Protein backbone atom coordinates (compact mmCIF):
# COMPACT_ATOMS: atom_id res chain seq x y z
CA UNK A 1 0.00 0.00 0.00
CA UNK A 2 2.77 2.35 0.88
CA UNK A 3 4.53 1.63 -2.43
CA UNK A 4 1.39 2.31 -4.44
CA UNK A 5 0.94 5.62 -2.69
CA UNK A 6 4.50 6.65 -3.56
CA UNK A 7 3.91 5.56 -7.16
CA UNK A 8 0.74 7.70 -7.50
CA UNK A 9 2.49 10.69 -5.99
CA UNK A 10 5.39 10.37 -8.42
CA UNK A 11 3.02 10.10 -11.41
CA UNK A 12 1.12 13.21 -10.33
CA UNK A 13 4.34 15.16 -9.91
CA UNK A 14 5.59 14.10 -13.32
CA UNK A 15 2.29 15.06 -14.98
CA UNK A 16 2.35 18.49 -13.38
CA UNK A 17 5.92 19.01 -14.55
CA UNK A 18 5.00 18.09 -18.14
CA UNK A 19 2.00 20.48 -18.13
CA UNK A 20 4.13 23.28 -16.79
CA UNK A 21 6.83 22.65 -19.40
CA UNK A 22 4.22 22.70 -22.17
CA UNK A 23 2.81 26.00 -20.98
CA UNK A 24 6.27 27.54 -20.85
CA UNK A 25 7.19 26.31 -24.32
CA UNK A 26 3.91 27.74 -25.62
CA UNK A 27 4.79 31.12 -24.19
CA UNK A 28 8.26 31.08 -25.71
CA UNK A 29 6.84 30.24 -29.14
CA UNK A 30 4.33 33.09 -29.17
CA UNK A 31 4.09 36.44 -27.32
CA UNK A 32 6.38 36.80 -24.28
CA UNK A 33 4.83 36.21 -20.90
CA UNK A 34 4.24 39.02 -18.42
CA UNK A 35 7.07 37.74 -16.21
CA UNK A 36 9.74 37.32 -18.90
CA UNK A 37 8.98 40.23 -21.26
CA UNK A 38 11.30 43.19 -21.01
CA UNK A 39 8.65 45.35 -22.69
CA UNK A 40 6.23 45.02 -19.78
CA UNK A 41 3.04 43.03 -19.23
CA UNK A 42 1.02 41.71 -22.15
CA UNK A 43 -2.17 43.53 -23.18
CA UNK A 44 -5.21 42.27 -24.92
CA UNK A 45 -5.27 44.02 -28.34
CA UNK A 46 -9.00 44.60 -27.95
CA UNK A 47 -8.53 46.27 -24.57
CA UNK A 48 -8.25 50.09 -24.77
CA UNK A 49 -5.78 51.80 -22.44
CA UNK A 50 -7.35 53.67 -19.54
CA UNK A 51 -7.34 57.38 -20.43
CA UNK A 52 -5.48 59.65 -18.07
CA UNK A 53 -7.49 62.55 -16.64
CA UNK A 54 -6.70 65.86 -18.33
CA UNK A 55 -5.33 68.30 -15.76
CA UNK A 56 -7.28 71.52 -15.39
CA UNK A 57 -5.48 74.59 -16.75
CA UNK A 58 -3.99 76.77 -14.09
CA UNK A 59 -5.97 80.00 -13.73
CA UNK A 60 -4.09 83.29 -13.61
CA UNK A 61 -6.95 84.86 -11.67
CA UNK A 62 -6.44 85.46 -7.94
CA UNK A 63 -9.74 85.49 -6.06
CA UNK A 64 -8.24 87.37 -3.10
CA UNK A 65 -6.19 90.33 -4.40
CA UNK A 66 -4.38 92.34 -1.76
CA UNK A 67 -4.88 95.89 -3.08
CA UNK A 68 -7.52 97.71 -5.14
CA UNK A 69 -7.51 100.78 -7.37
CA UNK A 70 -10.83 102.07 -8.71
CA UNK A 71 -11.23 104.06 -11.93
CA UNK A 72 -14.41 105.40 -13.47
CA UNK A 73 -17.01 108.14 -13.10
CA UNK A 74 -19.51 109.57 -10.64
CA UNK A 75 -20.92 106.18 -9.64
CA UNK A 76 -17.54 105.10 -8.25
CA UNK A 77 -17.22 108.49 -6.54
CA UNK A 78 -20.67 107.89 -4.96
CA UNK A 79 -21.96 111.23 -6.25
CA UNK A 80 -25.25 112.33 -4.63
CA UNK A 81 -25.22 109.33 -2.28
CA UNK A 82 -24.74 111.38 0.93
CA UNK A 83 -25.69 114.94 0.03
CA UNK A 84 -26.84 116.88 -3.00
CA UNK A 85 -24.34 117.62 -5.77
CA UNK A 86 -21.35 116.18 -3.91
CA UNK A 87 -19.06 113.17 -4.09
CA UNK A 88 -19.13 110.80 -1.12
CA UNK A 89 -16.25 108.35 -1.68
CA UNK A 90 -16.56 106.88 1.79
CA UNK A 91 -19.68 105.04 0.58
CA UNK A 92 -18.24 104.07 -2.81
CA UNK A 93 -19.03 100.50 -3.87
CA UNK A 94 -15.36 100.02 -4.82
CA UNK A 95 -13.22 101.56 -2.08
CA UNK A 96 -15.55 103.01 0.55
CA UNK A 97 -15.10 102.63 4.30
CA UNK A 98 -18.77 102.78 5.31
CA UNK A 99 -19.63 99.49 7.01
CA UNK A 100 -23.26 99.67 5.84
CA UNK A 101 -22.09 99.59 2.21
CA UNK A 102 -19.37 97.00 2.85
CA UNK A 103 -17.42 97.99 -0.24
CA UNK A 104 -15.44 95.66 -2.45
CA UNK A 105 -12.20 96.80 -0.80
CA UNK A 106 -13.67 96.16 2.66
CA UNK A 107 -14.69 92.66 1.64
CA UNK A 108 -11.36 91.80 0.03
CA UNK A 109 -8.90 93.56 2.33
CA UNK A 110 -10.68 93.97 5.64
CA UNK A 111 -11.44 97.37 7.23
CA UNK A 112 -7.96 97.78 8.69
CA UNK A 113 -6.27 97.75 5.25
CA UNK A 114 -8.68 99.78 3.13
CA UNK A 115 -7.04 103.14 3.75
CA UNK A 116 -3.53 102.01 2.89
CA UNK A 117 -4.26 99.43 0.18
CA UNK A 118 -7.01 101.02 -1.95
CA UNK A 119 -7.24 104.13 -4.12
CA UNK A 120 -10.26 105.84 -5.71
CA UNK A 121 -9.05 107.50 -8.92
CA UNK A 122 -12.48 107.97 -10.53
CA UNK A 123 -13.78 111.42 -11.49
CA UNK A 124 -17.38 112.60 -11.56
CA UNK A 125 -18.38 113.38 -15.13
CA UNK A 126 -15.61 111.31 -16.71
CA UNK A 127 -16.11 109.63 -20.09
CA UNK A 128 -14.23 106.75 -21.69
CA UNK A 129 -11.76 109.10 -23.38
CA UNK A 130 -10.36 109.82 -19.89
CA UNK A 131 -9.88 106.20 -18.91
CA UNK A 132 -6.35 105.81 -20.33
CA UNK A 133 -5.11 108.61 -18.05
CA UNK A 134 -6.87 107.11 -15.04
CA UNK A 135 -5.41 103.69 -15.86
CA UNK A 136 -1.92 105.16 -16.04
CA UNK A 137 -2.46 106.58 -12.56
CA UNK A 138 -3.63 103.20 -11.33
CA UNK A 139 -0.64 101.42 -12.89
CA UNK A 140 1.73 103.73 -10.98
CA UNK A 141 0.38 102.29 -7.73
CA UNK A 142 0.83 98.66 -8.89
CA UNK A 143 -2.44 97.39 -7.40
CA UNK A 144 -3.33 93.72 -7.57
CA UNK A 145 -6.82 94.63 -8.84
CA UNK A 146 -8.28 97.55 -10.81
CA UNK A 147 -12.02 98.06 -11.00
CA UNK A 148 -13.52 99.83 -14.03
CA UNK A 149 -16.99 101.37 -14.17
CA UNK A 150 -17.15 103.74 -17.10
CA UNK A 151 -19.47 104.49 -20.01
CA UNK A 152 -22.70 105.95 -18.64
CA UNK A 153 -21.55 109.50 -19.39
CA UNK A 154 -20.71 108.50 -22.96
CA UNK A 155 -24.41 107.77 -23.48
CA UNK A 156 -25.73 110.45 -21.11
CA UNK A 157 -25.23 113.46 -23.36
CA UNK A 158 -27.60 116.37 -24.02
CA UNK A 159 -28.78 114.65 -27.19
CA UNK A 160 -28.21 111.21 -28.77
CA UNK A 161 -26.19 112.81 -31.55
CA UNK A 162 -23.50 113.73 -29.01
CA UNK A 163 -23.04 110.21 -27.65
CA UNK A 164 -19.55 108.74 -28.02
CA UNK A 165 -19.29 106.69 -31.24
CA UNK A 166 -18.88 102.98 -30.56
CA UNK A 167 -15.58 102.75 -32.46
CA UNK A 168 -14.12 105.61 -30.41
CA UNK A 169 -15.36 103.96 -27.22
CA UNK A 170 -13.55 100.77 -28.21
CA UNK A 171 -10.33 102.57 -29.06
CA UNK A 172 -10.28 104.44 -25.74
CA UNK A 173 -10.91 101.26 -23.75
CA UNK A 174 -8.23 99.30 -25.60
CA UNK A 175 -5.78 102.16 -25.04
CA UNK A 176 -6.64 102.22 -21.35
CA UNK A 177 -5.89 98.50 -20.91
CA UNK A 178 -2.65 98.90 -22.85
CA UNK A 179 -1.61 101.72 -20.50
CA UNK A 180 -2.27 99.52 -17.51
CA UNK A 181 -0.40 96.58 -18.99
CA UNK A 182 2.62 98.76 -19.73
CA UNK A 183 2.99 99.79 -16.10
CA UNK A 184 1.39 96.85 -14.28
CA UNK A 185 1.35 93.77 -16.50
CA UNK A 186 0.05 91.38 -13.84
CA UNK A 187 -2.69 93.56 -12.37
CA UNK A 188 -6.16 92.02 -12.58
CA UNK A 189 -9.06 94.03 -14.00
CA UNK A 190 -12.75 93.84 -13.11
CA UNK A 191 -14.97 95.58 -15.66
CA UNK A 192 -18.53 96.48 -14.69
CA UNK A 193 -21.15 96.83 -17.40
CA UNK A 194 -22.84 100.15 -18.07
CA UNK A 195 -26.19 100.25 -16.21
CA UNK A 196 -29.46 100.20 -18.10
CA UNK A 197 -30.43 103.85 -18.59
CA UNK A 198 -33.82 102.75 -19.85
CA UNK A 199 -34.51 101.04 -16.54
CA UNK A 200 -33.45 104.14 -14.62
CA UNK A 201 -35.88 106.20 -16.69
CA UNK A 202 -38.74 103.76 -16.15
CA UNK A 203 -38.08 103.70 -12.38
CA UNK A 204 -37.58 107.41 -11.80
CA UNK A 205 -40.34 108.74 -14.03
CA UNK A 206 -42.98 107.67 -11.51
CA UNK A 207 -41.46 110.00 -8.90
CA UNK A 208 -42.67 113.63 -9.00
CA UNK A 209 -39.37 114.72 -7.43
CA UNK A 210 -37.40 112.72 -9.96
CA UNK A 211 -39.24 114.34 -12.83
CA UNK A 212 -38.54 117.81 -11.48
CA UNK A 213 -34.86 117.13 -10.90
CA UNK A 214 -34.40 115.63 -14.36
CA UNK A 215 -35.63 118.89 -15.88
CA UNK A 216 -32.34 120.41 -14.71
CA UNK A 217 -30.58 118.47 -17.46
CA UNK A 218 -29.49 115.11 -16.01
CA UNK A 219 -28.76 112.65 -18.83
CA UNK A 220 -30.79 114.59 -21.37
CA UNK A 221 -30.44 111.99 -24.11
CA UNK A 222 -32.50 109.54 -22.04
CA UNK A 223 -34.30 111.56 -19.36
CA UNK A 224 -35.33 114.74 -21.15
CA UNK A 225 -39.10 115.15 -21.49
CA UNK A 226 -39.43 112.04 -19.33
CA UNK A 227 -43.23 112.00 -19.34
CA UNK A 228 -43.47 112.05 -23.13
CA UNK A 229 -44.49 108.61 -24.39
CA UNK A 230 -44.81 109.66 -28.00
CA UNK A 231 -43.16 107.78 -30.86
CA UNK A 232 -40.29 110.23 -31.31
CA UNK A 233 -39.42 110.20 -27.61
CA UNK A 234 -39.58 106.41 -27.52
CA UNK A 235 -37.26 106.17 -30.53
CA UNK A 236 -34.80 108.54 -28.86
CA UNK A 237 -34.70 106.46 -25.69
CA UNK A 238 -34.36 103.24 -27.68
CA UNK A 239 -31.39 104.73 -29.55
CA UNK A 240 -29.67 105.56 -26.26
CA UNK A 241 -30.36 102.12 -24.84
CA UNK A 242 -29.00 100.49 -28.00
CA UNK A 243 -25.81 102.50 -27.59
CA UNK A 244 -25.46 101.29 -24.01
CA UNK A 245 -25.84 97.70 -25.22
CA UNK A 246 -23.16 98.34 -27.85
CA UNK A 247 -20.81 99.79 -25.23
CA UNK A 248 -21.27 96.71 -23.07
CA UNK A 249 -20.48 94.48 -26.04
CA UNK A 250 -17.22 96.39 -26.50
CA UNK A 251 -16.33 96.01 -22.81
CA UNK A 252 -16.98 92.26 -23.00
CA UNK A 253 -15.02 91.70 -26.23
CA UNK A 254 -11.98 93.76 -25.29
CA UNK A 255 -11.81 92.31 -21.79
CA UNK A 256 -12.04 88.76 -23.17
CA UNK A 257 -8.74 89.28 -25.01
CA UNK A 258 -6.89 89.95 -21.75
CA UNK A 259 -6.29 86.84 -19.63
CA UNK A 260 -6.28 88.91 -16.44
CA UNK A 261 -9.54 90.74 -17.13
CA UNK A 262 -13.05 89.78 -15.98
CA UNK A 263 -16.22 91.38 -17.33
CA UNK A 264 -19.25 91.21 -15.06
CA UNK A 265 -21.29 89.40 -17.70
CA UNK A 266 -23.86 92.21 -17.77
CA UNK A 267 -24.64 92.00 -14.04
CA UNK A 268 -24.80 95.77 -13.47
CA UNK A 269 -26.74 96.32 -16.70
CA UNK A 270 -29.25 93.68 -15.65
CA UNK A 271 -29.60 94.81 -12.04
CA UNK A 272 -33.00 96.39 -11.40
CA UNK A 273 -32.37 99.36 -9.12
CA UNK A 274 -35.54 100.32 -7.26
CA UNK A 275 -36.43 103.68 -5.72
CA UNK A 276 -34.63 102.90 -2.47
CA UNK A 277 -31.41 102.15 -4.34
CA UNK A 278 -31.38 105.47 -6.19
CA UNK A 279 -30.27 108.83 -4.83
CA UNK A 280 -33.17 110.80 -3.29
CA UNK A 281 -31.61 113.95 -4.73
CA UNK A 282 -31.42 113.01 -8.39
CA UNK A 283 -33.18 109.62 -8.86
CA UNK A 284 -30.29 108.59 -11.09
CA UNK A 285 -27.13 107.81 -9.14
CA UNK A 286 -27.03 104.90 -6.66
CA UNK A 287 -27.90 105.59 -3.04
CA UNK A 288 -25.99 103.99 -0.16
CA UNK A 289 -28.07 100.86 -0.63
CA UNK A 290 -27.46 100.94 -4.38
CA UNK A 291 -23.73 101.23 -3.76
CA UNK A 292 -23.91 98.18 -1.49
CA UNK A 293 -25.60 96.18 -4.26
CA UNK A 294 -22.84 97.15 -6.71
CA UNK A 295 -20.22 96.01 -4.19
CA UNK A 296 -21.99 92.69 -3.81
CA UNK A 297 -22.15 92.11 -7.57
CA UNK A 298 -18.46 92.89 -7.97
CA UNK A 299 -17.35 90.73 -5.06
CA UNK A 300 -19.34 87.78 -6.34
CA UNK A 301 -17.72 87.97 -9.78
CA UNK A 302 -14.18 88.63 -8.59
CA UNK A 303 -14.14 85.78 -6.05
CA UNK A 304 -15.67 83.19 -8.33
CA UNK A 305 -13.26 80.26 -8.71
Amino acid sequence: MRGRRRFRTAVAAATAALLCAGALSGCSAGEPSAKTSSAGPSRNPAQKPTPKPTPKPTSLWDVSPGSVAAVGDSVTRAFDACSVLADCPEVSWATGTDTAVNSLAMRLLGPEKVAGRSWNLARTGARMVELPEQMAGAAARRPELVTVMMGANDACRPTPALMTPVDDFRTHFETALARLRKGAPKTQVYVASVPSLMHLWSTGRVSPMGLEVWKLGICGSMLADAENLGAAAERRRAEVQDRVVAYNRVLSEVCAKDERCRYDGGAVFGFRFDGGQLSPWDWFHPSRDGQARLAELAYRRITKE
Side-chain angles (χ1 to χ4, degrees):
M1 293 295 291
R2 188 175 302 169
R4 291 178 184 177
R5 191 178 300 116
R6 283 199 297 269
F7 176 76
R8 285 197 298 268
T9 301
V11 170
T15 302
L18 288 172
L19 289 174
C20 182
L24 290 175
S25 63
C27 291
S28 62
E31 293 183 358
S33 69
K35 292 183 179 180
T36 60
S37 171
S38 60
S42 62
R43 179 182 293 137
N44 187 338
Q47 182 182 0
K48 295 182 179 180
T50 303
K52 294 181 179 180
T54 304
K56 293 182 179 180
T58 303
S59 174
L60 296 176
W61 188 265
D62 181 5
V63 297
S64 55
S67 54
V68 179
V71 297
D73 54 28
S74 56
V75 175
T76 300
R77 293 296 299 174
F79 182 80
D80 269 2
C82 301
S83 58
V84 64
L85 300 179
D87 290 347
C88 190
E90 60 266 30
V91 303
S92 167
W93 68 272
T95 59
T97 55
D98 188 292
T99 55
V101 172
N102 195 16
S103 71
L104 177 66
M106 290 269 284
R107 297 170 192 240
L108 291 174
L109 311 177
E112 68 283 352
K113 294 183 179 179
V114 172
R117 302 293 294 167
S118 67
W119 306 272
N120 193 322
L121 307 177
R123 188 187 73 80
T124 293
R127 299 199 298 274
M128 187 59 77
V129 68
E130 299 181 38
L131 190 61
E133 182 179 355
Q134 290 190 16
M135 278 293 209
R141 290 164 172 79
R142 298 295 181 91
E144 294 184 21
L145 175 71
V146 169
T147 66
V148 179
M149 186 175 288
M150 184 80 86
N153 290 323
D154 292 88
C156 278
R157 306 293 289 148
T159 66
L162 295 176
M163 293 188 297
T164 303
V166 176
D167 288 344
D168 291 350
F169 189 90
R170 181 184 295 273
T171 298
H172 299 325
F173 186 46
E174 289 175 338
T175 302
L177 280 181
R179 288 274 184 91
L180 177 68
R181 289 289 163 249
K182 183 177 180 180
K186 294 185 178 180
T187 292
Q188 298 181 162
V189 183
Y190 163 76
V191 180
S193 50
V194 181
S196 172
L197 300 181
M198 184 73 82
H199 173 71
L200 294 177
W201 166 77
S202 66
T203 300
R205 73 185 184 88
V206 301
S207 165
M209 178 177 288
L211 292 173
E212 289 302 312
V213 172
W214 290 354
K215 291 176 182 178
L216 300 177
I218 297 175
C219 195
S221 57
M222 175 63 76
L223 304 181
D225 203 10
E227 294 178 280
N228 186 348
L229 301 179
E234 295 284 24
R235 283 195 300 270
R236 167 173 55 84
R237 296 184 192 108
E239 181 181 356
V240 177
Q241 185 73 347
D242 288 346
R243 186 61 58 90
V244 170
V245 170
Y247 289 163
N248 283 334
R249 187 180 304 115
V250 168
L251 296 176
S252 176
E253 292 172 353
V254 174
C255 185
K257 297 176 183 178
D258 187 314
E259 59 187 0
R260 286 187 167 89
C261 184
R262 278 191 179 183
Y263 176 60
D264 75 354
V268 173
F269 176 82
F271 185 75
R272 293 302 181 242
F273 292 91
D274 60 30
Q277 293 159 347
L278 295 177
S279 166
W281 292 284
D282 64 22
W283 282 81
F284 181 77
H285 290 91
S287 63
R288 271 186 171 88
D289 186 47
Q291 292 283 340
R293 302 289 76 75
L294 292 174
E296 181 181 352
L297 292 174
Y299 182 76
R300 189 182 305 162
R301 180 72 178 111
I302 290 166
T303 59
K304 184 177 180 180
E305 294 285 355

